């Protein structure tokens, strides 16, 4: 039987779309009571005095435009970019723009995912039309109100910088807000032509920068209320461990400790402050039921992965018969690539504050999954979902950790509040998250590729081995097809040069282990791009072709890939001589609807550590909203991916995680940061994602550069485990067959 599942992230987004997409104007945003984001310092106007034509903005009598964010700000700059979309169509005065987080509500559901979440580098893609329509709707109502007051024709009115102008008269949006609010909301509005844009495509300073610089920004960890207790949970020493018995006598004797309660994840110690809770947790005596996780050892992990690869797996794609083609191929290349488990390691450790009463649950945290968390709290407490209120705060980084589809840290905090009956902030230490959190799964990808005399792939055989991140989550039905998690092989079977091969077989072997895995920045692309672009480099050398020239051949029918490749070669001075011991490496791949290419220049000198001198990046992310934001995100992509390439690894011994903090789960230091130059490809295509667009590309760009400098091929990460100076030699022409 022949099967071929051509599935990528764009298709995934399309398939998960619900009827909640589009401009929603069913109700207005009321004057929000209680604590609000410090970005919004202006007082809320009295009801009846504001213009709130839809759920995304309101205009007060003072002209302040308050924009409600359907996506959370975690450093990626989305609060500014979304505001720019509304400001563009509204012709607003940027100095009067304020933003605030949306409450949990149907109107703010992701237009593609069907829940209120931030993820998949999809915020601009999903909101580009909806937010512009919101701004245009408000503008149309303001113009109508001005025309009525000035006794002018609507066609003779124009808008500019927060004013409606008719001839020599003009009225501010604040002056018109009350009258405009009384008008019916138009069902259809006309959006600006691209040539008339004043905000979109221009560099704009971020709205969240001032409060983050002066310390006024409120993160989840900053939340404090009188009488609030702090909780730390003693979780199992291995994944899946359960409490058999515990003794809290010594814990309760520590000054400041108020209560000890059992929750599904372990034993929680509640105290007046963090230090007392920490000392109290250390004093707990717990007897654990360890379970099957004790058999997990990183020392034997690769062997187990290889054994599983030998056994085969479920079929993702099967067309023709590659085994019949290999004997006829001009070249056959075999290789395998391995990446370890990884932690997310956001700068702000996880935390969640919960106040639970008989009829209400309030939650203060930084989360990407607002309605998932709301539903989780409703399930735990038994309260109606409308009685659960999420107060989202700034997120001190995430990289997927606060996008966990199972709401793990919010669930735990609600359980602690329920068991204790207290207003409590549950805090994870750095060690807690690295040793007992969610991980990017380890993966092995094995290939056997047949090439024709020109070097083009004509037979493709591949098996991948690794845990599924989608199984058991809300997107399992669309992401796991016939048992194959499409994110485990993300981008591999849909890339141009693979999907056109008539003889191919791609399989996936998915272990079921107690190790908790979930979304990590770039999801599957975080390991699949490393494998694919390392392999392409090997194929190029196998047929004696320059890596750029070889990719030109592969992408001859993929114009956006090809344009990125050409600009990248030009901007990186590809082919120009380098000093001895230096090398350049390249990687180009589509990710999250964008096309990103990276060239890394490295030096591997005797008796010196690896030095990454320069990284050149070219990004085609379609229509650009804020160029400064794109460049900042490319820097973030590259540095996050470079940390992974150089150092990051989670290892297990008898089920226990061996790393505990930034001393042994090392991340890139400032003095190791290379020079980064990013070039944005002009484009009129719809916006693509940028938050994860180049995380995967930097990894093979570095290892390919090491090969160019030394002839040493790196097929596993991190580099810290390799002796780059051993058996160095100049890159030589590859043989027709190359083994693992």
């Amino acid at each position: 039987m022949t099967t071929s599942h051509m599935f990528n992230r764009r298709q995934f987004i399309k398939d998960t779309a619900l009827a909640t997409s589009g401009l929603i104007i069913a109700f207005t945003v009321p004057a929000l009571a209680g604590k609000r984001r410090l970005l919004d310092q202006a007082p809320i106007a009295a009801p009846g005095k504001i213009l709130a034509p839809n759920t995304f903005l309101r205009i007060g009598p003072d002209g302040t435009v308050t924009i409600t964010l359907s996506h959370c700000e975690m450093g990626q700059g989305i609060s500014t970019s979304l505001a720019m979309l509304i400001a563009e169509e509204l012709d607003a005065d940027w100095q009067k723009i304020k933003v605030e987080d949306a409450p949990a509500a149907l109107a703010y559901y992701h237009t593609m995912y069907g829940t209120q979440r931030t993820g998949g580098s999809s915020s601009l893609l999903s909101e580009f039309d909806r937010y512009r329509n919101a701004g245009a709707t408000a503008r149309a109502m303001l113009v109508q109100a001005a025309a009525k007051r000035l006794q002018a024709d609507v066609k003779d009115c124009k808008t500019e910088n927060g004013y409606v102008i008719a001839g020599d008269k003009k009225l501010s949006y604040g002056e018109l807000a009350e009258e405009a609010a009384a008008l019916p909301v138009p069902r259809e509005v006309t959006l600006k032509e691209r040539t008339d844009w004043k905000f979109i495509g221009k560099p704009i300073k971020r709205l969240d920068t001032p409060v983050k610089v002066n310390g006024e920004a409120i993160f989840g960890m900053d939340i404090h209320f009188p009488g609030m207790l702090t909780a730390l949970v003693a979780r199992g020493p291995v994944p899946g461990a359960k409490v058999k018995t515990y003794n809290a006598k010594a814990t309760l004797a520590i000054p400041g400790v108020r209560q000890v309660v059992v929750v599904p994840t372990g034993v929680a110690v509640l105290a007046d402050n963090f230090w007392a809770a920490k000392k109290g947790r250390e004093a707990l005596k717990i007897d654990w039921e360890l379970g099957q996780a004790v058999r997990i050892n990183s020392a034997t992990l690769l062997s187990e992965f290889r054994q599983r690869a030998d056994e085969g797996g479920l079929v993702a794609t099967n067309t023709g018969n590659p085994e019949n083609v290999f004997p006829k191929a001009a070249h056959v290349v075999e290789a395998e690539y391995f990446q370890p488990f990884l932690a997310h390691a956001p700068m702000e450790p996880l935390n969640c504050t919960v106040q639970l009463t008989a009829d209400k649950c309030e939650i203060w945290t930084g989360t990407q999954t607002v309605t998932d968390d709301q539903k989780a709290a409703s399930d735990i407490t038994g309260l109606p979902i409308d009685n659960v209120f999420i107060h989202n705060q700034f997120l001190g980084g995430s990289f997927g950790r606060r996008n966990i589809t199972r709401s793990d840290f919010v669930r735990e905090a609600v359980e602690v509040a329920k068991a204790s009956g207290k207003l409590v902030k549950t805090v994870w230490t750095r060690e807690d998250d690295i040793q007992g959190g969610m991980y990017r799964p380890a993966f092995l990808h094995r290939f056997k590729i047949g090439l024709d005399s020109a070097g083009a792939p004509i037979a493709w055989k591949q098996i991948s081995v690794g845990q599924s991140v989608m199984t058991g989550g809300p997107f399992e039905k669309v992401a796991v097809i016939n048992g194959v998690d499409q994110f485990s092989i993300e981008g591999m079977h849909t890339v141009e040069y693979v999907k056109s091969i008539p003889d191919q077989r791609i399989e996936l072997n998915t272990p079921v282990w107690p190790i908790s895995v979930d979304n990590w920045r770039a999801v599957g692309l975080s390991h699949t791009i490393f494998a694919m672009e390392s392999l392409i480099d090997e194929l190029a050398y196998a047929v004696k072709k320059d890596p750029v020239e070889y990719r030109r051949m592969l992408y001859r029918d993929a114009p956006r890939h090809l344009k990125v490749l050409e600009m990248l070669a030009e901007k990186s001075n590809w082919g120009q001589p380098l000093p001895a011991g230096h090398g350049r490496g390249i990687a180009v791949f589509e990710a999250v609807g964008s096309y990103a290419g990276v060239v890394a220049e490295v030096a591997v000198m005797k008796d010196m550590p690896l030095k990454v001198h320069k990284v050149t990046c070219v990004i085609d992310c379609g229509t650009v909203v804020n160029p400064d934001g794109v460049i900042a995100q490319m820097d973030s992509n590259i540095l996050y991916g470079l940390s992974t390439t150089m150092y990051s690894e989670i290892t297990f011994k008898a089920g226990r995680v061996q790393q505990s903090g930034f001393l042994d789960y090392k991340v890139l230091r400032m003095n190791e940061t290379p020079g980064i130059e990013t070039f944005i490809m002009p484009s009129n295509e719809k916006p693509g994602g940028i938050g994860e667009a180049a995380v995967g590309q930097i990894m093979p760009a570095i290892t390919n550069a090491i090969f160019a400098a030394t002839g040493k091929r790196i097929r596993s990460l991190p580099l810290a485990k390799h002796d780059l100076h051993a058996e160095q030699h100049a890159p030589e022409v590859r043989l027709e067959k190359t083994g693992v």
Side-chain angles (χ1 to χ4, degrees):
M1 181 178 179
T2 298
T3 58
S4 180
H5 299 296
M6 293 297 142
F7 185 100
N8 56 23
R9 195 176 293 201
R10 185 181 297 144
Q11 185 65 35
F12 170 75
I13 291 174
K14 179 180 177 182
D15 289 348
T16 55
L18 296 184
T20 54
S21 62
L23 175 63
I24 300 172
I25 56 173
F27 63 95
T28 62
V29 177
L32 301 177
K35 187 176 181 67
R36 293 183 291 119
R37 172 66 59 80
L38 282 172
L39 278 170
D40 179 21
Q41 296 289 351
I44 296 178
K49 301 289 185 179
I50 63 172
L51 171 61
N54 49 59
T55 57
F56 300 103
L57 80 155
R58 62 181 184 270
I59 302 173
D62 63 351
T64 297
V65 179
T66 302
I67 295 172
T68 307
L69 303 173
S70 56
H71 298 269
C72 65
E73 178 60 70
M74 51 188 163
Q76 83 280 38
I78 198 62
S79 57
T80 304
S81 297
L82 290 179
M84 289 172 67
L85 297 178
I86 284 180
E88 182 64 75
E89 294 295 338
L90 183 59
D91 276 335
D93 178 356
W94 186 254
Q95 302 305 314
K96 293 195 172 184
I97 294 289
K98 306 292 182 184
V99 296
E100 65 182 19
D101 285 314
L106 179 66
Y108 303 108
Y109 272 31
H110 197 294
T111 62
M112 299 170 186
Y113 292 151
T115 61
Q116 191 172 336
R117 73 170 55 239
T118 304
S121 298
S122 61
S123 295
L124 279 178
L125 170 64
S126 64
E127 301 296 1
F128 190 69
D129 290 333
R130 187 160 69 162
Y131 266 65
R132 287 192 300 145
N133 270 287
T137 298
R139 177 183 173 276
M141 296 172 73
L142 290 163
V143 168
Q144 188 177 349
K148 183 177 180 180
R149 187 193 291 192
L150 297 174
Q151 297 184 339
D153 194 309
V154 167
K155 292 182 292 186
D156 296 329
C157 297
K158 66 178 183 178
T159 54
E160 184 178 315
N161 203 35
Y163 287 89
V164 181
I165 303 169
D168 59 353
K169 299 177 181 178
K170 68 177 184 178
L171 295 169
S172 73
Y173 288 174
E175 293 175 272
L176 295 167
E178 185 174 4
E179 292 169 63
L183 298 173
V185 178
R187 297 181 63 87
E188 294 184 5
V189 291
T190 301
L191 300 178
K192 286 184 180 180
E193 295 293 330
R194 184 180 292 264
T195 53
D196 295 328
W197 287 348
K198 298 177 181 178
F199 289 99
I200 298 175
K202 309 297 191 299
I204 298 286
K205 292 182 179 179
R206 286 174 49 156
L207 293 171
D208 57 332
T209 297
V211 293
K212 287 180 176 177
V213 170
N214 66 23
E216 291 181 348
I218 301 297
F219 294 83
M221 197 67 86
D222 296 320
I223 294 297
H224 182 75
F225 297 104
M228 182 186 82
L229 299 179
T230 298
L232 269 71
V233 177
R235 302 174 189 87
V238 301
K242 302 295 183 183
V243 176
K244 291 169 64 176
T245 61
Y246 75 97
N247 186 326
K249 183 177 180 181
T251 297
L252 292 169
I254 292 175
V257 172
R258 300 298 176 189
Q259 195 173 0
V260 176
V261 297
V262 177
V263 292
T265 52
V267 181
V269 177
L270 287 76
D272 293 337
N273 54 63
F274 171 83
W275 187 248
K278 183 175 184 296
K279 299 301 289 184
R281 184 174 68 172
E282 291 170 355
L284 276 173
K285 300 184 186 303
I286 305 177
D287 185 16
W288 296 96
E289 179 66 50
L290 297 181
Q292 294 299 310
V294 293
R295 70 178 182 84
I296 299 172
N297 287 284
S298 291
T300 59
L301 188 65
L302 183 54
S303 296
E304 183 171 349
F305 271 61
R306 285 174 171 164
Q307 181 180 341
R308 286 180 169 273
D310 292 340
E311 295 168 355
L314 297 176
V315 174
T317 301
N318 185 28
T319 61
N321 191 332
E323 289 293 352
N324 288 344
V325 179
F326 290 136
K328 309 170 189 176
H331 308 271
V332 176
V333 176
E334 297 182 55
E336 70 177 24
Y337 305 92
F338 178 76
Q339 282 203 51
F341 289 97
L342 296 173
H344 301 80
M347 189 58 65
E348 179 196 13
L350 299 173
N351 59 86
C352 181
T353 301
V354 180
Q355 183 170 44
L356 181 60
T357 62
D359 60 355
K360 183 170 65 172
C361 178
E362 289 195 82
I363 297 171
W364 292 263
T365 191
T367 177
Q368 295 173 245
T369 56
V370 175
T371 48
D372 288 11
D373 298 340
Q374 185 187 39
K375 184 179 185 304
S378 174
D379 291 343
I380 293 167
T381 62
L383 291 169
I385 197 165
D386 290 342
N387 289 24
V388 177
F389 301 92
I390 309 285
H391 304 279
N392 214 2
Q393 311 301 313
F394 278 120
L395 282 64
S398 174
F399 316 119
R401 186 62 185 92
R402 291 175 165 91
N403 187 28
I404 298 305
T405 55
R406 297 152 185 84
S407 301
D408 69 317
F409 70 96
V410 174
R411 278 184 175 275
E412 182 181 70
V414 175
E415 293 280 11
V416 172
K418 181 181 178 181
S420 66
K422 301 294 193 301
L423 166 60
V424 57
K425 180 198 291 184
T426 300
V427 173
W428 295 52
T429 65
R430 176 80 58 213
E431 294 78 9
D432 289 342
D433 194 32
I434 288 180
Q435 294 194 323
M438 298 279 185
Y439 303 108
R440 200 287 305 274
F443 255 90
L444 179 140
H445 300 285
R446 179 184 291 176
F447 301 90
K448 184 178 181 181
I449 312 299
L451 307 174
D452 64 17
S453 58
I458 56 173
W460 190 281
K461 187 177 180 182
Q462 170 192 336
I463 183 163
S464 299
V465 182
Q467 287 174 266
S468 168
V469 298
M470 292 295 168
T471 299
F475 301 127
E476 179 178 0
K477 289 184 179 179
V478 294
V480 182
I481 300 175
N482 297 330
V484 175
D485 185 340
Q486 303 296 307
F487 283 78
S488 294
I489 52 173
E490 187 175 4
M492 302 178 102
H493 58 331
T494 55
V495 70
E496 297 295 328
Y497 53 81
V498 173
K499 68 182 182 181
S500 60
I501 298 173
D503 294 277
Q504 58 174 284
R505 183 178 179 87
I506 299 176
E507 300 177 15
L508 176 66
N509 186 304
T510 305
V512 179
W513 291 334
I515 300 173
S516 298
V517 297
D518 212 300
N519 297 316
W520 190 92
R521 191 175 189 178
V523 197
L525 295 168
S526 68
H527 52 85
T528 61
I529 294 178
F530 170 67
M532 294 294 282
E533 283 296 291
S534 297
L535 175 66
I536 294 308
D537 219 59
E538 297 211 43
L539 298 183
Y541 278 97
V543 297
K544 306 177 185 179
K545 285 193 175 183
D546 174 83
V548 168
E549 186 60 35
Y550 188 73
R551 286 173 173 80
R552 285 193 181 108
M553 176 188 69
L554 293 182
Y555 287 130
R556 59 185 177 273
D557 297 322
R560 294 181 75 179
H561 287 90
L562 195 57
K563 287 180 180 178
V564 168
L565 178 66
E566 297 293 357
M567 179 181 281
L568 186 60
E570 174 194 347
K571 299 298 185 182
S572 66
N573 297 316
W574 186 268
Q576 295 299 310
L578 289 171
H582 287 236
R584 291 191 188 94
I586 189 169
V588 177
F589 215 82
E590 179 191 358
V592 293
S594 294
Y595 300 77
V598 171
V599 166
E601 180 187 333
V602 308
V604 188
M605 310 299 288
K606 186 177 181 180
D607 300 325
M608 295 181 66
L610 172 72
K611 174 70 174 178
V612 182
H613 281 279
K614 181 181 179 182
V615 175
T616 305
C617 176
V618 172
I619 176 75
D620 171 6
C621 56
T623 296
V624 172
V625 176
N626 188 355
D628 283 358
V630 173
I631 291 172
Q633 278 294 285
M634 290 304 100
D635 287 352
S636 173
N637 275 245
I638 288 164
L639 296 178
Y640 195 72
L642 187 53
S643 279
T644 298
T645 307
M646 301 282 284
Y647 304 118
S648 303
E649 180 181 30
I650 290 292
T651 58
F652 294 85
K653 185 175 181 180
R656 288 168 166 79
V657 174
Q658 300 301 287
Q659 292 72 30
S660 61
F662 286 143
L663 287 176
D664 48 12
Y665 189 82
K666 190 176 177 183
V667 297
L668 202 69
R669 271 34 176 192
M670 190 175 294
N671 67 311
E672 298 170 303
T673 301
I676 302 173
E677 194 170 17
T678 294
F679 299 90
I680 302 173
M681 180 76 69
S683 175
N684 291 336
E685 299 284 346
K686 64 183 180 181
I690 55 172
E692 303 161 286
V695 173
Q697 288 88 327
I698 185 61
M699 303 176 195
I702 295 293
T703 55
N704 292 340
I706 291 170
F707 174 79
T710 68
K712 186 177 181 67
R713 184 64 74 180
I714 305 295
R715 297 193 181 97
S716 66
L717 298 177
L719 294 176
K721 298 185 73 172
H722 295 271
D723 183 358
L724 302 182
H725 302 91
E727 300 179 5
Q728 288 190 35
H729 52 82
E732 61 186 57
V733 175
R734 307 294 286 172
L735 300 177
E736 291 188 359
K737 295 191 178 184
T738 127
V740 176

